[in-house]
């Protein structure tokens, strides 16, 4: 800020400290933010290096041993039990070499698995509470420290009023960077924009407080002279404050969920008004206006990149095979899967990454826009890509042999856009095509290939996140073994209706057909809603084998009769029966709602000796809470368990909530 202007507005024009604090404290706040981002970036870099070294070490070990792969079906139960005993932590010995693993696991438990309820019933891990709280405290400290009158000892608005305003403006670039889909913070830290949204909201609300502290302080000093409301620059500041306040109110969770389209348009327009008016408000102060134009630049860059991605994806879609009998170029295929879900798929020409071809990682998201059901122009909603980044097999190609990739989404019809989309496909007979635009991919999903044992847990449409992770692991083990450490995957899916299995039946059938021998996959599906046509008691059906034609085939009467019902057999007998029939390439469909903790503890106890394991969960908040609670329990997360050989467990939570 221009020092002459500050002196004219200050109580003590000769106070060097007054001018220093009002200009330098915002710089300190910006530097503190940059240091925090840099620290997280260094951690992300170190983690990436450790993963890379582990993969290289595993690749060297595989080449040195050169042992033939063993089909998982051929591994007898006796051999598996012997291996489990050898790698289990039941020896009672504490290994000092595992102290780093124990410390890391304890830090993960405290930061990400201990949760507190917010005022709206959602559970937030401590890290998502502590970091925003520290940010708020830091900015308010910068605003009010050394702001007392020397004579009276009372906080003097001459010292904190303008300082609050400069601090607010200094954070605008940070707020815009956190909100952008293409943002450098995600690239540096490996944290997806949807998770940074928590810090974005905290920063935005802190700036709102500082804006009104600034206005209140100037009002207490008197809006006279150069500060009269009749001055255009003062009017611009008031208009900006009002627009920003309305944007924050419109962004509250209740209004966002009820009127997402209104929130989307209003949020963008109100923030643009705020940036324009604030720039006009501070343009006379050279030091402060330099905080505003970078925010404009980042916002424009993000919008430009998003538009470029939409154009690129539209072009690739239009170049897809025109001879296809099931897909039309530049159009999405809509397929009704159930009364409350549908699949949207688009085929993209594979022109190669060097020429700008579409590439994505398993678990990434994309924004889908379908004008036929949109209420507002450019309406787009985020969905997880439910397919892997791989060329379509020859059997799926069209008459003309052109390399293509398919982007698929599994969408649960709830309300608004998703309900209109489902009704549109239903009116068209259940299968139709329509013009569509895709913006993406976005996000930084976990690299589960860095862990020997992986547990994927999904509820409902959350399977669109876990399914690609499973398929990607299988693809890597089959086509590029040195690029993955994973040799065991437990895939758990909670669904309400038995028919929901058909959402991914074809994908599981293709997985079974091309299952690599080196990978052990177990699929467990739990149907949680009772039906009048089904037995009232939960029924474990351990005889369902993944077949090529039907991923989950109904059991025969004999096998179904032999399956133990709830309470009819001991836990050990049930576990042994399931273990005999489903350790490899098999699926289980069970009725009822099992204990999530029991499922995870059983699997992770077998991970002892592997060093580390990964658990990824996607679905309702209640399921996420259950997984967190299980992974902070003493059998999995205690220091003693890890020191005695238990796995250090990494947890990734995928819940797209704004």
């Amino acid at each position: 800020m221009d020092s002459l202007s500050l002196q004219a507005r200050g109580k003590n024009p000769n106070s060097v400290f007054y001018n220093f604090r009002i200009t330098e404290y915002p710089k300190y706040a910006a530097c503190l933010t940059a240091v925090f981002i840099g620290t997280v970036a260094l951690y992300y870099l170190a983690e990436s290096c450790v993963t890379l070294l582990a993969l290289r070490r595993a690749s060297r070990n595989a080449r040195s041993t050169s042992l033939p792969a063993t089909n998982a079906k051929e591994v007898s139960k006796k051999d598996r039990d012997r291996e489990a005993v050898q790698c289990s932590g039941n020896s009672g010995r504490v290994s000092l070499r595992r102290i780093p693993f124990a410390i890391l696991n304890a830090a993960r438990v405290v930061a990400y698995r201990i949760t507190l309820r917010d005022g709206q019933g959602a559970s937030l891990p401590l890290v998502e509470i502590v970091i925003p709280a520290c940010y708020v405290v830091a900015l308010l400290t910068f605003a009010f420290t050394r702001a007392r009158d020397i004579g009276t000892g009372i906080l003097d608005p001459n010292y904190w009023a303008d300082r609050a305003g400069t601090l607010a403006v200094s954070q605008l670039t940070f707020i815009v960077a956190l909100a952008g889909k293409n943002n450098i913070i995600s690239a540096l830290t490996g944290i997806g924009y949807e998770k940074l949204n928590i810090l974005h909201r905290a920063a935005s609300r802190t700036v709102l407080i500082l804006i009104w502290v600034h206005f209140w302080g100037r009002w207490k000093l008197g809006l006279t002279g150069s500060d009269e409301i009749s001055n255009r620059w003062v009017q611009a500041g008031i208009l900006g404050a009002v627009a920003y306040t309305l944007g924050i109110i419109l962004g509250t969770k209740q209004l966002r969920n009820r009127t997402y389209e209104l929130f989307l348009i209003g949020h963008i327009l109100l923030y643009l008004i705020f940036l324009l008016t604030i720039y006009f408000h501070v343009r006379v102060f050279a030091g402060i206006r330099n905080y505003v134009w970078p925010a404009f630049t980042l916002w424009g860059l993000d919008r430009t990149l998003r538009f470029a991605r939409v154009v690129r994806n539209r072009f690739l879609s239009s170049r897809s095979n025109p001879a296809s009998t099931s897909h039309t170029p530049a159009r999405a295929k809509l397929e009704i899967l159930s009364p409350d879900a549908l699949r949207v798929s688009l085929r993209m020409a594979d022109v190669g990454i060097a020429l700008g071809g579409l590439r994505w990682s398993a678990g990434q998201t994309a924004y889908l826009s379908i004008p036929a059901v949109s209420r507002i122009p450019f309406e787009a909603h985020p969905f997880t890509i439910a397919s892997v980044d791989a060329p379509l097999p020859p059997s799926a190609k069209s008459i003309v042999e052109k390399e293509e990739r398919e982007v698929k989404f599994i969408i649960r019809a709830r309300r608004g856009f998703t309900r209109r989309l489902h009704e549109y496909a239903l009116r068209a007979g259940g299968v139709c095509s329509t013009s569509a635009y895709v913006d993406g991919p976005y996000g930084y999903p976990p690299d589960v290939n860095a862990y020997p044992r992986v547990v994927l847990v999904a509820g409902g449409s959350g399977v669109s996140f876990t399914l690609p992770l499973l398929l990607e692991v299988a693809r890597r083990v089959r086509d590029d073994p040195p690029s993955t450490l994973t040799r065991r995957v437990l895939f758990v899916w909670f669904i309400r209706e038995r028919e929901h299995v058909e959402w991914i039946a074809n994908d599981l059938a293709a997985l079974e057909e091309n299952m690599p021998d080196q990978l052990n996959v177990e699929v467990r599906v739990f149907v949680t809603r009772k039906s009048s046509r089904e037995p009232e008691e939960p029924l474990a059906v351990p005889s369902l084998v993944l077949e090529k034609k039907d991923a989950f085939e109904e059991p025969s009467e004999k096998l179904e009769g032999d399956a133990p019902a709830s309470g009819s057999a001991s836990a050990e007998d049930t576990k042994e029966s399931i273990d005999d029939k489903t350790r490899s390439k098999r699926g289980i469909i069970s009725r009822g709602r099992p204990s999530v903790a029991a499922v995870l503890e059983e699997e992770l106890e077998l991970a002892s000796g592997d060093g580390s394991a990964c658990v990824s969960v996607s679905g309702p908040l209640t399921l996420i809470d259950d997984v967190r609670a299980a992974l902070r329990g003493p059998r999995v997360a205690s220091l003693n368990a890890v020191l005695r050989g238990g796995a250090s467990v990494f947890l990734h939570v995928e819940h797209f909530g704004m």
Side-chain angles (χ1 to χ4, degrees), residues 193 214 245 270 276 322 329 331 365 431 464 523 541 562 567 606 615 636:
Y193 73 93
H214 168 65
T245 304
L270 289 171
L276 290 170
R331 296 176 72 85
T365 60
V431 179
S464 60
V523 178
V541 187
D562 292 338
L606 297 176
V615 176
V636 175

Side-chain angles (χ1 to χ4, degrees), residues 199-217:
L199 189 54
H200 167 72
R201 293 199 300 267
S204 299
R205 291 164 185 172
T206 305
V207 167
L208 177 67
I209 295 173
L210 292 173
I211 287 174
W212 286 105
V213 166
H214 168 65
F215 180 77
W216 178 48

